[in-house]
Amino acid sequence: MSNVPGQARVVIIGGGAVGASALYHLARAGWTDCMLLEKNELTAGSTWHAAGNVPTFSSSWSIMNMQRYSAQLYRGLGAAVDYPMNYHVTGSVRLGHTLERLREFQRVKGMGRYQGMDLEVLGPEEIRSKYPFVETHDLSGALYDPYDGDIDPAQLTQALATGARALGARIERFCPVTAARWTGREWVLSTPKGEVRCEYVVNAGGYYAAAVGAMFGRRVPMMVMSHQYLLFDTIPELEQWSREVGHKLPLLRDVDSSYYLRQEKMGFNLGPYENPCRAHWATPDDPMPADFSFQLFPDDLGRIEWHIHDAMARVPLLAQANLQKVINGPIPYTPDGNPLIGPMPGVPNAFEACVFTFGICQAGGAGKVLAEWVTEGATEWDMWSCDPRRFTGWEDHDYCVAKGMEVYGHEYAIHFPHHVWPEGRMKRLSAVHDRTAALGAQFGPYNGYERALWYARPGDDTSGEAQRTWRREGPWFGAVQAECAAVRDACGILDLPGFSRFRLTGAGAADWLARQITGKLPAVGRLGLAYFADDKGRIVTEMSVARMGEAEFLLITAATAQLHDRGWLEQHLAPGLNLTDESADWSCQILTGPKARAVLQAAGAEADLARGWLTHQAARIAGRDVVLMRVSFAGELGWEIHSRLADTPAVWDAVMAAGAPLGLKPFGMFALDSLRIEKGYRAWKGDLSTDYTVLQGGLERFVDWSKPDFRGRAALMAERQAGVARRFVVLRVEAGDCDPPYMSTLWHDGAVVGETTSGAWGFRVGACVALGMLRADLAVPGTRLEVEIFGDRFAAVVTGDGPLWDPANERIRS
């Protein structure tokens, strides 16, 4: 057995399509001293038995970007690397049975147009012009995607590998990594062919990613599903049709029945996503084998019998075919169905490119994204949807299995904005969960913490089915309206478990933090918003910074940002400074509304309630120590009440009892979203992301140009001098019965000029309000635009970049 080279700049573990793509893209970026290690032969895992579909469709902006890039790459890959490939761009027809499904199609059509793709929504009478063998009597329409197709997964992988080798990268087959150790400067990987030292390592282990991650002390949040697809023999009528027209049928997806049907040579490939479904290697009596290369599970057709009959009724031609072969193989799933691409949480110089449910269609884009992470430290597109740090470590095995099965069983489901999936719930509860539940709270998870979304009243429909709508006026609407009215007219309280909290201390903490943020540090006793930019001036994150002392700061950020923001701080932390994660120790309530001060007084709060906006103080409520922060994301007079977990129930009870005579009402996250959008307040990874710079985000008031140095300063200064190309705006929209979802297109004089980043009904202003990014020359108050909402355009007007509600901030300062 020959020895493996002892040194490489990057080592990729795993030789499927994703690993090969990562190697190819690293080499294209000029990092040719890279190596891929595969325990068996290339493609031996999920790639080997993958169906090879290459859709561009996604309701996620970032994943659509990734899949679109893959499809573009594959069209020219064979010629670029001089490797023969079978890639058929057939187009696809995605069937819809309901009005809600057609609205999803219209939304994706708009997103696709913005990314340069021309998708088409078909009426029922037009479907057969694209797919002549389908029954359409019960359909509402379809989405036609001319860029869809299928590719040979093995050929794709070998083509990527060929291209990587030609650029100087190396691939070692039959070379498993058996151990890993960090020396403080580099990784040392053990293999049967010798040790390999490398600066960076990438886990591209597919359904073995958990075993690979364990070598680095990382528990990868994943599970493995059994997925079957069926290959049918030649059908003479289909063969005759294909020869006459000179091409294959488009790939057909009946998403409401949950399967795809693809022409395979002159027969068919039928792939259902059934429910109930089957997890593998999830219980002690079904352990993962040491090696499952080029292997399949036994057939289990009983699980998919309904789908087979439904597909035969939809395309009667299928009933003429003889079943030739059943493929039943392992497919990895994360709890949300999206892959893991990016930094390995808590592990230095390590990255993940694994747990791909749709690895073939995403491999090209994933390789690009991974290479950017490694070589540049950031990605072109904001890829939070796939960032491993979105899972923060509480996701245990049972949770991963339950959520993976749920995602698989609803693979084609519409993700409605107010619908909450039921599996894996009640994992992390607030200290006052029993109190809020008793008041009618309808919960949704935020980094696993159950937060009240809205408070149901007697007679309100709280069923999951009632949540499955795009319409604004779902069963929550009246309750949310009442919650917003209470915040406006009296006082509301919102329980917010799970805030991410970091305490920064040490000599030089102020100087270091000042260099990390774009703006000024608050004085002792005060707090403010701080924005962290990357070297390109793009928005990395937003934190509330409370200065507790000259060299002590409390940094508070979103629940889901815990590992992302902690990783950013730790990555740049100066020697001698201390950063402590206190996220698990505290809880918080937002108390807000014109009577908030009176409620605290009635609760006997031992505090100076005359202190102004953006101040903080140690205080006591019900004999318990709390920190009061004079700030409100709802845009009214208010405080955040921060308390230790053990003290939170007593504090909650005292405030609720004192506030009852004053009209205090609990409110939820749906109301908060409406309230903050009326104020033009941005939300992280929606309005605030690396898709936008700090200046584009309308945050120049948080930039202190007088500072000689801060991260991103040079890029922002250059952008300021050249002129900002697009700007954040607040829009008043004359919408119909739906509010504009994320990435709804903005039009002006027949041209696309921007996109929305948030949208909601503003109960205080009595209008639909959207936040968005707009071409800079149009970002002036009074500009008339149109917002495309599910295929229809609605009039809108730019109101500026500030609040619609209380634009002078008089109420919040009162």
Side-chain angles (χ1 to χ4, degrees):
M1 181 180 292
S2 63
N3 291 333
V4 69
Q7 189 75 37
R9 192 172 189 183
V10 182
V11 169
I12 298 167
I13 304 173
V18 173
S21 179
L23 188 69
Y24 176 63
H25 281 85
L26 283 168
R28 282 182 56 177
W31 286 39
T32 56
D33 183 16
C34 299
M35 185 188 309
L36 184 151
L37 302 180
E38 163 56 41
K39 66 186 295 186
N40 197 283
E41 180 59 88
L42 295 183
T43 78
S46 295
T47 299
W48 168 67
H49 60 77
N53 298 330
V54 187
T56 63
F57 179 97
S58 178
S59 58
S60 162
W61 179 258
S62 55
I63 290 179
M64 177 182 277
N65 258 324
M66 189 165 64
Q67 294 178 176
R68 172 185 53 78
Y69 174 88
S70 293
Q72 291 172 342
L73 174 71
Y74 298 166
R75 279 195 284 273
L77 182 62
V81 302
D82 192 23
Y83 191 92
M85 291 174 56
N86 291 321
Y87 180 33
H88 309 106
V89 181
T90 62
S92 69
V93 175
R94 190 174 292 255
L95 304 178
H97 293 239
T98 65
L99 173 62
E100 301 289 32
R101 181 66 76 174
L102 282 200
R103 282 180 163 171
E104 179 195 47
F105 291 168
Q106 290 287 1
R107 178 180 178 228
V108 171
K109 174 185 174 182
M111 290 168 55
R113 184 196 304 109
Y114 206 0
Q115 292 193 16
M117 297 185 295
D118 187 16
L119 310 182
E120 184 180 357
V121 176
L122 308 174
E125 69 286 351
E126 300 173 289
I127 297 174
R128 289 176 66 91
S129 67
K130 302 292 185 184
Y131 201 104
F133 303 109
V134 67
E135 295 295 318
T136 63
H137 60 281
D138 59 344
L139 300 177
S140 58
L143 180 72
Y144 177 65
D145 178 356
Y147 310 97
D148 210 329
D150 61 89
I151 198 167
D152 184 300
Q155 290 180 343
L156 169 63
T157 306
Q158 294 295 348
L160 291 164
T162 298
R165 288 190 185 103
L167 292 168
R170 187 179 179 100
I171 295 175
E172 287 288 332
R173 299 169 298 143
F174 303 103
C175 188
V177 176
T178 57
R181 73 178 188 275
W182 174 248
T183 69
R185 296 184 301 106
E186 62 183 0
W187 285 103
V188 182
L189 307 179
S190 300
T191 82
K193 298 182 181 181
E195 289 187 341
V196 182
R197 293 176 176 270
C198 60
E199 185 178 354
Y200 300 101
V201 68
V202 179
N203 179 359
Y207 53 72
Y208 276 103
V212 173
M215 291 188 283
F216 299 89
R218 157 77 163 151
R219 183 164 58 87
V220 178
M222 63 171 292
M223 54 84 68
V224 177
M225 290 298 304
S226 158
H227 175 61
Q228 300 180 95
Y229 63 88
L230 288 66
L231 300 176
F232 293 85
D233 209 347
T234 297
I235 304 170
E237 186 176 344
L238 177 58
E239 182 176 23
Q240 180 181 351
W241 178 87
S242 291
R243 297 195 187 284
E244 287 177 356
V245 300
H247 59 77
K248 294 170 62 175
L249 283 168
L251 195 153
L252 188 76
R253 290 182 181 86
D254 194 334
V255 288
D256 291 312
S257 293
S258 195
Y259 58 81
Y260 68 82
L261 184 67
R262 188 182 90 200
Q263 182 175 341
E264 187 75 18
K265 297 181 180 177
M266 297 302 170
F268 280 115
N269 174 341
L270 174 64
Y273 289 90
E274 73 279 8
N275 189 10
C277 45
R278 170 73 191 275
H280 265 288
W281 308 329
T283 57
D285 60 347
D286 182 25
M288 173 177 278
D291 189 5
F292 201 72
S293 301
F294 298 113
Q295 296 183 57
L296 296 172
F297 301 127
D299 304 349
D300 190 5
L301 295 181
R303 290 206 323 259
I304 59 175
E305 183 178 358
W306 181 90
H307 298 81
I308 296 172
H309 288 300
D310 191 77
M312 288 179 174
R314 181 63 59 197
V315 182
L317 200 61
L318 178 62
Q320 301 178 21
N322 294 318
L323 180 60
Q324 189 179 40
K325 192 174 184 179
V326 178
I327 307 295
N328 185 11
I331 303 291
Y333 272 76
T334 62
D336 62 8
N338 291 346
L340 304 174
I341 318 172
M344 188 183 295
V347 183
N349 289 24
F351 295 85
E352 293 176 335
C354 54
V355 200
F356 282 78
T357 298
F358 298 101
I360 303 305
C361 71
Q362 295 173 357
K368 164 187 157 61
V369 169
L370 187 280
E372 291 168 347
W373 268 123
V374 174
T375 63
E376 302 177 33
T379 55
E380 176 186 357
W381 314 309
D382 190 289
M383 292 302 300
W384 180 244
S385 63
C386 301
D387 195 309
R389 296 167 296 182
R390 70 190 188 274
F391 300 113
T392 60
W394 58 270
E395 304 86 357
D396 60 20
H397 173 76
D398 290 344
Y399 174 84
C400 292
V401 171
K403 295 302 290 185
M405 293 182 69
E406 181 179 61
V407 172
Y408 178 96
H410 300 87
E411 191 63 69
Y412 293 127
I414 303 172
H415 292 273
F416 293 106
H418 293 91
H419 176 250
V420 182
W421 295 98
E423 293 297 334
R425 299 293 302 284
M426 304 301 155
K427 302 293 284 188
R428 309 178 87 181
L429 302 182
S430 161
V432 294
H433 180 85
D434 58 335
R435 274 89 160 163
T436 55
L439 293 170
Q442 305 301 302
F443 295 101
Y446 291 74
N447 192 23
Y449 285 99
E450 298 290 337
R451 291 180 179 174
L453 301 176
W454 60 291
Y455 284 83
R457 306 163 302 178
D460 285 341
D461 187 349
T462 60
S463 66
E465 186 58 36
Q467 302 168 8
R468 297 175 186 269
T469 179
W470 296 107
R471 295 182 65 252
R472 177 187 308 116
E473 295 194 22
W476 55 82
F477 187 81
V480 173
Q481 182 177 30
E483 293 169 23
C484 290
V487 171
R488 180 195 64 199
D489 299 334
C491 194
I493 187 168
L494 171 62
D495 181 43
L496 274 178
F499 263 141
S500 301
R501 306 166 59 95
F502 311 105
R503 193 173 297 273
L504 174 69
T505 58
D511 290 340
W512 176 81
L513 187 57
R515 292 193 301 272
Q516 308 311 310
I517 66 173
T518 61
K520 297 179 185 294
L521 292 177
V524 175
R526 295 190 63 82
L527 64 126
L529 282 179
Y531 291 91
F532 293 71
D534 65 12
D535 292 334
K536 297 179 180 179
R538 303 182 304 176
I539 303 166
V540 172
T541 194
E542 171 196 77
M543 298 189 197
S544 294
V545 176
R547 193 163 190 171
M548 316 305 289
E550 288 297 333
E552 181 181 0
F553 298 86
L554 188 62
L555 311 177
I556 302 177
T557 183
T560 54
Q562 183 180 5
L563 290 191
H564 176 281
D565 286 4
R566 189 172 81 193
W568 179 269
L569 293 169
E570 290 175 341
Q571 178 185 354
H572 300 104
L573 195 66
L577 300 185
N578 299 305
L579 186 74
T580 306
D581 189 338
E582 300 180 352
S583 304
D585 303 332
W586 293 78
S587 192
C588 175
Q589 282 81 45
I590 290 179
L591 181 73
T592 187
K595 296 183 181 180
R597 182 178 285 111
V599 171
L600 287 176
Q601 289 171 337
E606 300 172 39
D608 180 2
L609 299 180
R611 288 193 185 181
W613 187 37
L614 300 180
T615 61
H616 65 83
Q617 60 182 301
R620 288 177 66 82
I621 298 176
R624 311 301 171 97
D625 292 331
V626 299
V627 176
L628 292 181
M629 295 189 177
R630 177 76 191 277
V631 66
S632 170
F633 201 46
E636 301 284 352
L637 168 68
W639 284 263
E640 290 178 359
I641 306 173
H642 296 263
S643 55
R644 296 278 182 178
L645 292 183
D647 296 329
T648 299
V651 173
W652 171 275
D653 291 344
V655 172
M656 288 294 289
L662 298 170
L664 176 65
K665 302 290 184 185
F667 68 102
M669 299 299 291
F670 290 172
L672 183 64
D673 201 46
S674 168
L675 296 165
R676 66 98 183 169
I677 287 175
E678 288 177 310
K679 290 293 292 181
Y681 293 162
R682 286 73 152 169
W684 189 65
K685 291 307 181 189
D687 316 294
L688 303 170
S689 77
T690 54
D691 284 332
Y692 310 116
T693 70
V694 171
L695 299 186
Q696 290 170 353
L699 302 171
E700 188 162 0
R701 65 187 182 279
F702 296 98
V703 178
D704 180 9
W705 297 109
S706 69
K707 290 194 302 184
D709 184 37
F710 59 84
R711 195 176 306 281
R713 186 182 191 279
L716 291 171
M717 182 65 76
E719 183 184 18
R720 184 191 194 195
Q721 292 171 350
V724 180
R726 52 183 177 167
R727 290 190 177 276
F728 173 86
V729 291
V730 178
L731 306 170
R732 187 186 291 264
V733 186
E734 297 174 19
D737 62 353
C738 299
D739 296 317
Y742 177 67
M743 285 294 170
S744 295
T745 308
L746 302 180
W747 292 81
H748 182 262
D749 287 345
V752 175
V753 293
E755 71 271 5
T756 65
T757 54
S758 292
W761 185 260
F763 290 96
R764 290 177 298 192
V765 300
C768 175
V769 184
L771 312 182
M773 285 290 173
L774 182 62
R775 203 176 73 197
D777 61 301
L778 299 174
V780 293
T783 301
R784 304 291 302 183
L785 303 171
E786 292 177 307
V787 181
E788 182 177 331
I789 305 176
F790 303 118
D792 295 322
R793 298 187 199 175
F794 295 87
V797 63
V798 176
T799 63
D801 66 356
L804 277 182
W805 176 253
D806 185 27
N809 286 329
E810 294 174 350
R811 295 169 70 92
I812 202 170
R813 296 175 186 270
S814 63

